[in-house]
Amino acid sequence: MIPRYIADFDLQTLPRMKTEVAVIGAGIAGLYTALQASEQNEVVLISKKKLDDSNTRWAQGGIAAVTAKSDSPALHRQDTLIAGAGLCSYEAVEVLVHEGPERLKELIAYGTEFDKDAEGRYELTKEGAHSKRRILHAHGDATGAEIVRALSERVREKSNITVLEDHFAIDVVTQDGECVGVLAMRPDGERFFLEAKATVLATGGAGQLYRYTTNPEIATADGIAIAYRAGARIKDVEFIQFHPTALYYPGAPRFLISEAVRGEGAILRNTSGERFMEKYHPQKELAPRDIVARAIVSEMERTHSPYVYLDITHESEELIKHRFPTIYQFCLKYGLDMVTDWIPVAPACHYIMGGVQTDLNGETSTKRLFACGEVSCTGVHGANRLASNSLSEAVVFGRRIVHRIRELPPLPEIRPLQAKGERRTNRTVNTREQRVKLQKLMLRHVGVKRQEKGLQKALEELEHMQRFYACEHREIEAFEFLNLLGTAVLTTRAALRREESRGGHYRNDFPNKDDLIWRKHIIQSMDEGVREESDQYDVE
């Protein structure tokens, strides 16, 4: 059983800080929301690592928003709904496509320098499943790093934002169904209580659920697990996006080879040198990511190879080096020259479409608790995220969260609370070993292709691993493992329940999409268990 809290504490004896808004996470969602909130509130921003260490930093492709006269919100909405495979919230997508351009202007005003052409116009690129060029990028393929640079600088300039680097949020504390603050840990291990009128989870994704991921080490599903333990609803977590093209090379990490490379003309070849995507989808290499990822896996299985090739050698050296300087240099470090070599690639976990369910103002089912960015499930992405919509979503809903926080009444008086579990203090747990075991289990049974037998086996083993909740833990690595374990259970349970294939969820034993039965969401919470919920959908 997943416990309410994963650490014991007594609010009466804990050191205490107080703020109006607590933001957990320092990616684009956390930084932007903190900046917006600081206009009228005192803010404390908790960063697990340094301020510039987040998933956002590694985002290559760019940010999607309508800026060209040849484009329109209606086209952006249509592309998003199609990619979402029938499970997008129409209202949430409307919010994204109409408010995205204004939020983009704010990023520019905060100092983000997107790439421009020789005539001073913003360069726009096209990625998979987009009908128009609408992706803005920075320094070729370093968009995330540029956004984090600009926002971090602005955050550090704000006197009413307190940044707590190298701090860890263990849990959020609730009273009468409301979030009243954060149980956190300092770098030296001391725990304290951060009292807050509103708490924003901006903790990023869950890539470390899998052995192979494009995400950094910090993407340990903290926010999803914290929110679930606090009673919030978790939605659509069976939908995992595996990026089709992560570098597969001995000694190299699974480095992301951006979809923008295919957007600029790269093609996929199997190990026999054959181009194969025309067999799987009319959009070929620019089909939705789930389709491209499964096509690659199918070719890998057919050719008995652990990878396929990405080939952009037919494009000019100038284009490759100008547009993809980071990717070019990274590959070159391992002896691969994009100008002349085919790049070996394979799918890797990249993004989770589901997360903490929110309304259109980013508020969860637990009052005063908000979620923003990849940790959230606003309904924008449905069963499969459209490329480069994630950065847009973070700023659009971050702004809405701040407006909602301004409407909140004062925090009620916090009563004494003592959380005491029956934890064994003499049990030594190698959480690094258990984490690898979990990642391999998820890769084998809850990966790109799934089936009942494997999902059942994974769930049984994960539930057996829940015995580690009964041990006393003091290290961040141990708490991260418990967060991964809780989220793995939720993901596997939902994947087992959804007996169809849709978007980022594919079942070998149920290979077809079933709109009659399964055009609905799987929602899980501590109080309500697992249930299904239907929406009113617009026609795709």
Side-chain angles (χ1 to χ4, degrees):
M1 283 287 292
I2 298 174
R4 168 61 189 92
Y5 294 103
I6 56 173
D8 296 340
F9 64 91
D10 185 344
L11 285 189
Q12 289 185 287
T13 60
L14 276 179
R16 185 174 294 207
M17 287 181 67
K18 189 173 183 178
T19 190
E20 292 175 294
V21 180
V23 177
I24 307 171
I28 183 174
L31 294 170
Y32 175 86
T33 305
L35 281 170
Q36 290 286 308
S38 71
E39 298 299 326
Q40 295 186 15
N41 298 280
E42 291 291 328
V43 178
V44 170
L45 190 153
I46 297 174
S47 178
K48 185 159 64 168
K49 297 292 185 181
K50 299 302 182 186
L51 203 57
D52 62 351
D53 194 352
S54 64
N55 256 2
T56 301
R57 179 186 173 193
W58 302 98
Q60 297 174 354
I63 182 168
V66 173
T67 58
K69 291 181 180 179
S70 60
D71 198 4
S72 71
L75 288 172
H76 191 184
R77 177 187 66 214
Q78 175 180 287
D79 294 344
T80 301
L81 292 174
I82 291 172
L87 285 190
C88 295
S89 161
Y90 185 88
E91 292 78 11
V93 175
E94 278 285 275
V95 166
L96 178 83
V97 300
H98 286 283
E99 297 182 13
E102 286 302 311
R103 302 291 81 79
L104 179 66
K105 291 177 184 177
E106 288 173 353
L107 286 179
I108 294 169
Y110 280 136
T112 306
E113 298 178 359
F114 293 106
D115 293 339
K116 296 181 179 180
D117 61 21
E119 296 172 357
R121 296 172 300 196
Y122 286 111
E123 292 182 352
L124 300 176
T125 193
K126 185 179 179 182
E127 295 184 351
H130 283 271
S131 59
K132 296 287 183 179
R133 284 184 171 262
R134 65 169 68 96
I135 316 297
L136 278 81
H137 49 82
H139 306 300
D141 55 0
T143 309
E146 169 59 16
I147 291 173
V148 167
R149 178 204 63 78
L151 295 183
S152 296
E153 288 178 4
R154 302 292 84 75
V155 163
R156 293 189 187 281
E157 292 169 357
K158 288 282 188 175
S159 60
N160 59 340
I161 299 179
T162 301
V163 178
L164 302 179
E165 292 182 309
D166 299 308
H167 283 59
F168 186 75
I170 300 172
D171 266 310
V172 295
V173 178
T174 52
Q175 174 180 290
D176 300 328
E178 286 191 318
C179 179
V180 296
V182 185
L183 173 66
M185 187 165 69
R186 302 187 191 280
D188 62 3
E190 181 192 36
R191 297 172 189 175
F192 66 99
F193 174 55
L194 174 60
E195 178 183 329
K197 182 179 80 170
T199 299
V200 182
L201 296 171
T203 52
Q208 291 298 323
L209 284 173
Y210 293 87
R211 192 77 184 99
Y212 303 122
T213 177
T214 62
N215 293 186
E217 282 281 322
I218 60 172
T220 51
D222 300 325
I224 294 174
I226 286 171
Y228 179 77
R229 294 194 296 268
R233 296 186 182 112
I234 308 301
K235 177 179 177 180
D236 289 349
V237 285
E238 68 270 34
F239 297 112
I240 305 286
Q241 188 171 84
F242 291 84
H243 199 286
T245 53
L247 180 65
Y248 186 97
Y249 199 71
R254 290 300 177 94
F255 183 75
L256 177 67
I257 308 295
S258 171
E259 190 157 324
V261 178
R262 283 174 283 134
E264 296 294 346
I267 60 176
L268 288 163
R269 301 181 184 276
N270 60 28
T271 49
S272 299
E274 302 161 338
R275 187 178 184 182
F276 58 84
M277 275 308 301
E278 61 264 27
K279 296 189 299 184
Y280 295 94
H281 197 275
Q283 287 182 281
K284 301 176 185 177
E285 281 79 9
L286 293 180
R289 286 179 176 175
D290 63 302
I291 294 171
V292 179
R294 285 198 301 275
I296 289 173
V297 169
S298 295
E299 289 296 310
M300 287 162 51
E301 291 171 346
R302 191 177 67 81
T303 59
H304 306 289
S305 170
Y307 58 86
V308 298
Y309 289 111
L310 186 66
D311 173 17
I312 196 172
T313 58
H314 49 279
E315 299 293 345
S316 71
E317 180 175 354
E318 180 184 6
L319 181 146
I320 293 170
K321 291 183 175 180
H322 168 73
R323 184 65 182 84
F324 307 111
T326 306
I327 300 172
Y328 177 80
Q329 289 298 330
F330 190 90
C331 289
L332 202 61
K333 186 165 65 173
Y334 293 93
L336 297 168
D337 187 342
M338 291 176 67
V339 175
T340 57
D341 297 330
W342 296 354
I343 308 300
V345 295
C349 179
H350 184 59
Y351 193 90
I352 183 166
M353 270 71 73
V356 188
Q357 183 181 21
T358 73
D359 61 17
L360 293 180
N361 295 312
E363 192 164 13
T364 75
S365 57
T366 298
K367 295 177 182 178
R368 298 182 185 272
L369 180 64
F370 297 81
C372 187
E374 189 174 354
V375 68
S376 71
C377 184
T378 61
V380 162
H381 305 309
N384 189 30
R385 176 177 67 93
L386 182 68
S388 291
N389 267 355
S390 53
L391 299 183
S392 306
E393 180 196 35
V395 291
V396 165
F397 288 91
R399 171 82 169 211
R400 285 175 156 256
I401 285 170
V402 170
H403 280 283
R404 172 66 185 123
I405 288 173
R406 291 171 184 168
E407 300 171 351
L408 292 177
L411 194 67
E413 183 179 349
I414 300 175
R415 300 188 299 272
L417 172 65
Q418 187 178 60
K420 185 71 174 175
E422 296 181 3
R423 306 185 200 278
R424 291 169 289 179
T425 59
N426 59 349
R427 178 75 180 270
T428 301
V429 180
N430 186 334
T431 50
R432 168 57 60 176
E433 180 182 275
Q434 293 301 319
R435 177 165 163 170
V436 171
K437 180 180 177 182
L438 180 149
Q439 291 172 329
K440 289 182 176 179
L441 191 68
M442 294 294 288
L443 179 66
R444 187 177 305 117
H445 300 301
V446 202
V448 176
K449 295 182 178 182
R450 307 161 177 178
Q451 59 185 3
E452 182 179 7
K453 184 178 179 180
L455 291 168
Q456 286 280 16
K457 179 177 174 58
L459 190 57
E460 288 170 8
E461 293 198 32
L462 290 168
E463 289 175 343
H464 182 64
M465 293 170 78
Q466 289 186 76
R467 67 189 186 278
F468 295 118
Y469 283 117
C471 302
E472 184 176 0
H473 301 283
R474 296 190 176 277
E475 305 295 327
I476 287 178
E477 187 176 79
F479 292 130
E480 288 179 327
F481 165 67
L482 295 182
N483 289 335
L484 285 169
L485 176 57
T487 305
V489 170
L490 298 175
T491 298
T492 306
R493 188 188 292 157
L496 184 60
R497 186 157 180 148
R498 182 174 290 277
E499 295 182 334
E500 67 152 358
S501 292
R502 183 188 299 268
H505 167 74
Y506 185 83
R507 290 277 298 264
N508 283 328
D509 45 354
F510 295 95
N512 298 316
K513 186 168 71 170
D514 187 348
D515 279 343
L516 187 62
I517 298 176
W518 283 107
R519 201 173 185 192
K520 55 189 174 185
H521 307 277
I522 296 173
I523 297 173
Q524 304 177 70
S525 69
M526 290 278 274
D527 295 334
E528 300 167 339
V530 186
R531 63 186 180 86
E532 297 163 12
E533 180 181 274
S534 296
D535 284 340
Q536 295 297 317
Y537 297 96
D538 188 69
V539 176
E540 289 181 59

PDB file of all heavy atoms in Angstrom, residues 395-413:
ATOM      1  N   VAL A 395       3.707  27.701 -19.966  1.00  0.00           N
ATOM      2  CA  VAL A 395       3.534  29.133 -19.730  1.00  0.00           C
ATOM      3  C   VAL A 395       2.067  29.549 -19.782  1.00  0.00           C
ATOM      4  O   VAL A 395       1.621  30.416 -19.018  1.00  0.00           O
ATOM      5  CB  VAL A 395       4.384  29.969 -20.713  1.00  0.00           C
ATOM      6  CG1 VAL A 395       5.862  29.794 -20.401  1.00  0.00           C
ATOM      7  CG2 VAL A 395       4.114  29.614 -22.167  1.00  0.00           C
ATOM      8  N   VAL A 396       1.293  28.929 -20.658  1.00  0.00           N
ATOM      9  CA  VAL A 396      -0.127  29.263 -20.754  1.00  0.00           C
ATOM     10  C   VAL A 396      -0.845  28.953 -19.447  1.00  0.00           C
ATOM     11  O   VAL A 396      -1.581  29.792 -18.897  1.00  0.00           O
ATOM     12  CB  VAL A 396      -0.794  28.513 -21.929  1.00  0.00           C
ATOM     13  CG1 VAL A 396      -2.317  28.560 -21.812  1.00  0.00           C
ATOM     14  CG2 VAL A 396      -0.352  29.121 -23.258  1.00  0.00           C
ATOM     15  N   PHE A 397      -0.627  27.769 -18.910  1.00  0.00           N
ATOM     16  CA  PHE A 397      -1.342  27.391 -17.690  1.00  0.00           C
ATOM     17  C   PHE A 397      -0.663  27.935 -16.440  1.00  0.00           C
ATOM     18  O   PHE A 397      -1.308  28.120 -15.408  1.00  0.00           O
ATOM     19  CB  PHE A 397      -1.540  25.881 -17.645  1.00  0.00           C
ATOM     20  CG  PHE A 397      -2.571  25.417 -18.632  1.00  0.00           C
ATOM     21  CD1 PHE A 397      -2.204  25.043 -19.922  1.00  0.00           C
ATOM     22  CD2 PHE A 397      -3.919  25.412 -18.310  1.00  0.00           C
ATOM     23  CE1 PHE A 397      -3.162  24.658 -20.858  1.00  0.00           C
ATOM     24  CE2 PHE A 397      -4.882  25.031 -19.228  1.00  0.00           C
ATOM     25  CZ  PHE A 397      -4.508  24.662 -20.510  1.00  0.00           C
ATOM     26  N   GLY A 398       0.643  28.240 -16.523  1.00  0.00           N
ATOM     27  CA  GLY A 398       1.305  28.924 -15.421  1.00  0.00           C
ATOM     28  C   GLY A 398       0.676  30.276 -15.153  1.00  0.00           C
ATOM     29  O   GLY A 398       0.436  30.666 -14.000  1.00  0.00           O
ATOM     30  N   ARG A 399       0.381  30.992 -16.219  1.00  0.00           N
ATOM     31  CA  ARG A 399      -0.283  32.300 -16.086  1.00  0.00           C
ATOM     32  C   ARG A 399      -1.664  32.135 -15.456  1.00  0.00           C
ATOM     33  O   ARG A 399      -2.050  32.918 -14.577  1.00  0.00           O
ATOM     34  CB  ARG A 399      -0.392  32.917 -17.477  1.00  0.00           C
ATOM     35  CG  ARG A 399      -1.229  34.170 -17.570  1.00  0.00           C
ATOM     36  CD  ARG A 399      -0.475  35.408 -17.155  1.00  0.00           C
ATOM     37  NE  ARG A 399      -1.215  36.610 -17.490  1.00  0.00           N
ATOM     38  CZ  ARG A 399      -0.665  37.773 -17.808  1.00  0.00           C
ATOM     39  NH1 ARG A 399       0.650  37.870 -17.840  1.00  0.00           N
ATOM     40  NH2 ARG A 399      -1.398  38.824 -18.085  1.00  0.00           N
ATOM     41  N   ARG A 400      -2.403  31.144 -15.875  1.00  0.00           N
ATOM     42  CA  ARG A 400      -3.752  30.921 -15.341  1.00  0.00           C
ATOM     43  C   ARG A 400      -3.708  30.526 -13.862  1.00  0.00           C
ATOM     44  O   ARG A 400      -4.587  30.904 -13.076  1.00  0.00           O
ATOM     45  CB  ARG A 400      -4.458  29.843 -16.166  1.00  0.00           C
ATOM     46  CG  ARG A 400      -4.915  30.360 -17.523  1.00  0.00           C
ATOM     47  CD  ARG A 400      -5.510  29.292 -18.406  1.00  0.00           C
ATOM     48  NE  ARG A 400      -6.397  29.942 -19.366  1.00  0.00           N
ATOM     49  CZ  ARG A 400      -7.723  29.955 -19.308  1.00  0.00           C
ATOM     50  NH1 ARG A 400      -8.348  29.305 -18.335  1.00  0.00           N
ATOM     51  NH2 ARG A 400      -8.442  30.599 -20.201  1.00  0.00           N
ATOM     52  N   ILE A 401      -2.704  29.764 -13.483  1.00  0.00           N
ATOM     53  CA  ILE A 401      -2.538  29.391 -12.076  1.00  0.00           C
ATOM     54  C   ILE A 401      -2.378  30.635 -11.214  1.00  0.00           C
ATOM     55  O   ILE A 401      -3.005  30.762 -10.148  1.00  0.00           O
ATOM     56  CB  ILE A 401      -1.325  28.449 -11.917  1.00  0.00           C
ATOM     57  CG1 ILE A 401      -1.675  27.049 -12.425  1.00  0.00           C
ATOM     58  CG2 ILE A 401      -0.856  28.388 -10.463  1.00  0.00           C
ATOM     59  CD1 ILE A 401      -0.487  26.111 -12.529  1.00  0.00           C
ATOM     60  N   VAL A 402      -1.552  31.546 -11.656  1.00  0.00           N
ATOM     61  CA  VAL A 402      -1.304  32.763 -10.872  1.00  0.00           C
ATOM     62  C   VAL A 402      -2.581  33.571 -10.701  1.00  0.00           C
ATOM     63  O   VAL A 402      -2.860  34.096  -9.614  1.00  0.00           O
ATOM     64  CB  VAL A 402      -0.182  33.595 -11.530  1.00  0.00           C
ATOM     65  CG1 VAL A 402      -0.075  34.969 -10.876  1.00  0.00           C
ATOM     66  CG2 VAL A 402       1.148  32.857 -11.438  1.00  0.00           C
ATOM     67  N   HIS A 403      -3.390  33.680 -11.744  1.00  0.00           N
ATOM     68  CA  HIS A 403      -4.661  34.403 -11.621  1.00  0.00           C
ATOM     69  C   HIS A 403      -5.589  33.723 -10.626  1.00  0.00           C
ATOM     70  O   HIS A 403      -6.294  34.382  -9.853  1.00  0.00           O
ATOM     71  CB  HIS A 403      -5.329  34.520 -12.994  1.00  0.00           C
ATOM     72  CG  HIS A 403      -4.755  35.611 -13.845  1.00  0.00           C
ATOM     73  ND1 HIS A 403      -5.045  36.942 -13.661  1.00  0.00           N
ATOM     74  CD2 HIS A 403      -3.876  35.571 -14.888  1.00  0.00           C
ATOM     75  CE1 HIS A 403      -4.396  37.677 -14.543  1.00  0.00           C
ATOM     76  NE2 HIS A 403      -3.668  36.858 -15.301  1.00  0.00           N
ATOM     77  N   ARG A 404      -5.597  32.394 -10.623  1.00  0.00           N
ATOM     78  CA  ARG A 404      -6.447  31.665  -9.670  1.00  0.00           C
ATOM     79  C   ARG A 404      -5.944  31.842  -8.238  1.00  0.00           C
ATOM     80  O   ARG A 404      -6.737  31.999  -7.300  1.00  0.00           O
ATOM     81  CB  ARG A 404      -6.473  30.179 -10.050  1.00  0.00           C
ATOM     82  CG  ARG A 404      -7.171  29.289  -9.032  1.00  0.00           C
ATOM     83  CD  ARG A 404      -8.660  29.579  -8.925  1.00  0.00           C
ATOM     84  NE  ARG A 404      -9.264  28.787  -7.875  1.00  0.00           N
ATOM     85  CZ  ARG A 404      -9.947  29.276  -6.839  1.00  0.00           C
ATOM     86  NH1 ARG A 404     -10.114  30.585  -6.715  1.00  0.00           N
ATOM     87  NH2 ARG A 404     -10.453  28.472  -5.932  1.00  0.00           N
ATOM     88  N   ILE A 405      -4.632  31.843  -8.045  1.00  0.00           N
ATOM     89  CA  ILE A 405      -4.071  32.016  -6.702  1.00  0.00           C
ATOM     90  C   ILE A 405      -4.501  33.352  -6.100  1.00  0.00           C
ATOM     91  O   ILE A 405      -4.774  33.447  -4.894  1.00  0.00           O
ATOM     92  CB  ILE A 405      -2.533  31.893  -6.747  1.00  0.00           C
ATOM     93  CG1 ILE A 405      -2.127  30.426  -6.991  1.00  0.00           C
ATOM     94  CG2 ILE A 405      -1.891  32.420  -5.466  1.00  0.00           C
ATOM     95  CD1 ILE A 405      -0.635  30.222  -7.208  1.00  0.00           C
ATOM     96  N   ARG A 406      -4.604  34.363  -6.939  1.00  0.00           N
ATOM     97  CA  ARG A 406      -5.007  35.686  -6.443  1.00  0.00           C
ATOM     98  C   ARG A 406      -6.421  35.685  -5.876  1.00  0.00           C
ATOM     99  O   ARG A 406      -6.777  36.562  -5.086  1.00  0.00           O
ATOM    100  CB  ARG A 406      -4.896  36.715  -7.569  1.00  0.00           C
ATOM    101  CG  ARG A 406      -3.456  37.011  -7.979  1.00  0.00           C
ATOM    102  CD  ARG A 406      -3.392  37.851  -9.234  1.00  0.00           C
ATOM    103  NE  ARG A 406      -1.993  38.030  -9.664  1.00  0.00           N
ATOM    104  CZ  ARG A 406      -1.633  38.522 -10.849  1.00  0.00           C
ATOM    105  NH1 ARG A 406      -2.567  38.883 -11.726  1.00  0.00           N
ATOM    106  NH2 ARG A 406      -0.362  38.649 -11.157  1.00  0.00           N
ATOM    107  N   GLU A 407      -7.232  34.708  -6.278  1.00  0.00           N
ATOM    108  CA  GLU A 407      -8.617  34.625  -5.807  1.00  0.00           C
ATOM    109  C   GLU A 407      -8.758  33.825  -4.519  1.00  0.00           C
ATOM    110  O   GLU A 407      -9.833  33.782  -3.922  1.00  0.00           O
ATOM    111  CB  GLU A 407      -9.489  33.978  -6.894  1.00  0.00           C
ATOM    112  CG  GLU A 407      -9.521  34.740  -8.211  1.00  0.00           C
ATOM    113  CD  GLU A 407     -10.224  33.953  -9.310  1.00  0.00           C
ATOM    114  OE1 GLU A 407     -10.527  32.756  -9.084  1.00  0.00           O
ATOM    115  OE2 GLU A 407     -10.467  34.525 -10.395  1.00  0.00           O
ATOM    116  N   LEU A 408      -7.686  33.145  -4.089  1.00  0.00           N
ATOM    117  CA  LEU A 408      -7.791  32.266  -2.927  1.00  0.00           C
ATOM    118  C   LEU A 408      -7.978  33.062  -1.636  1.00  0.00           C
ATOM    119  O   LEU A 408      -7.342  34.102  -1.446  1.00  0.00           O
ATOM    120  CB  LEU A 408      -6.528  31.408  -2.798  1.00  0.00           C
ATOM    121  CG  LEU A 408      -6.274  30.352  -3.876  1.00  0.00           C
ATOM    122  CD1 LEU A 408      -4.933  29.663  -3.615  1.00  0.00           C
ATOM    123  CD2 LEU A 408      -7.394  29.323  -3.910  1.00  0.00           C
ATOM    124  N   PRO A 409      -8.795  32.569  -0.724  1.00  0.00           N
ATOM    125  CA  PRO A 409      -8.916  33.206   0.597  1.00  0.00           C
ATOM    126  C   PRO A 409      -7.658  32.950   1.412  1.00  0.00           C
ATOM    127  O   PRO A 409      -6.837  32.091   1.060  1.00  0.00           O
ATOM    128  CB  PRO A 409     -10.131  32.497   1.205  1.00  0.00           C
ATOM    129  CG  PRO A 409     -10.169  31.165   0.537  1.00  0.00           C
ATOM    130  CD  PRO A 409      -9.670  31.393  -0.864  1.00  0.00           C
ATOM    131  N   PRO A 410      -7.492  33.666   2.522  1.00  0.00           N
ATOM    132  CA  PRO A 410      -6.314  33.436   3.373  1.00  0.00           C
ATOM    133  C   PRO A 410      -6.264  31.987   3.855  1.00  0.00           C
ATOM    134  O   PRO A 410      -7.279  31.307   3.965  1.00  0.00           O
ATOM    135  CB  PRO A 410      -6.521  34.400   4.542  1.00  0.00           C
ATOM    136  CG  PRO A 410      -7.433  35.459   4.003  1.00  0.00           C
ATOM    137  CD  PRO A 410      -8.326  34.773   3.023  1.00  0.00           C
ATOM    138  N   LEU A 411      -5.058  31.525   4.140  1.00  0.00           N
ATOM    139  CA  LEU A 411      -4.871  30.169   4.634  1.00  0.00           C
ATOM    140  C   LEU A 411      -5.464  30.043   6.037  1.00  0.00           C
ATOM    141  O   LEU A 411      -5.245  30.910   6.892  1.00  0.00           O
ATOM    142  CB  LEU A 411      -3.372  29.858   4.679  1.00  0.00           C
ATOM    143  CG  LEU A 411      -2.945  28.393   4.848  1.00  0.00           C
ATOM    144  CD1 LEU A 411      -3.333  27.588   3.613  1.00  0.00           C
ATOM    145  CD2 LEU A 411      -1.427  28.322   5.066  1.00  0.00           C
ATOM    146  N   PRO A 412      -6.235  28.990   6.303  1.00  0.00           N
ATOM    147  CA  PRO A 412      -6.771  28.802   7.660  1.00  0.00           C
ATOM    148  C   PRO A 412      -5.646  28.484   8.645  1.00  0.00           C
ATOM    149  O   PRO A 412      -4.536  28.116   8.243  1.00  0.00           O
ATOM    150  CB  PRO A 412      -7.719  27.612   7.497  1.00  0.00           C
ATOM    151  CG  PRO A 412      -7.205  26.860   6.312  1.00  0.00           C
ATOM    152  CD  PRO A 412      -6.649  27.901   5.392  1.00  0.00           C
ATOM    153  N   GLU A 413      -5.943  28.619   9.905  1.00  0.00           N
ATOM    154  CA  GLU A 413      -4.947  28.295  10.924  1.00  0.00           C
ATOM    155  C   GLU A 413      -4.574  26.814  10.822  1.00  0.00           C
ATOM    156  O   GLU A 413      -5.440  25.942  10.709  1.00  0.00           O
ATOM    157  CB  GLU A 413      -5.503  28.580  12.315  1.00  0.00           C
ATOM    158  CG  GLU A 413      -4.498  28.331  13.420  1.00  0.00           C
ATOM    159  CD  GLU A 413      -5.057  28.650  14.797  1.00  0.00           C
ATOM    160  OE1 GLU A 413      -6.151  29.254  14.863  1.00  0.00           O
ATOM    161  OE2 GLU A 413      -4.406  28.295  15.796  1.00  0.00           O
TER     162      GLU A 413
END
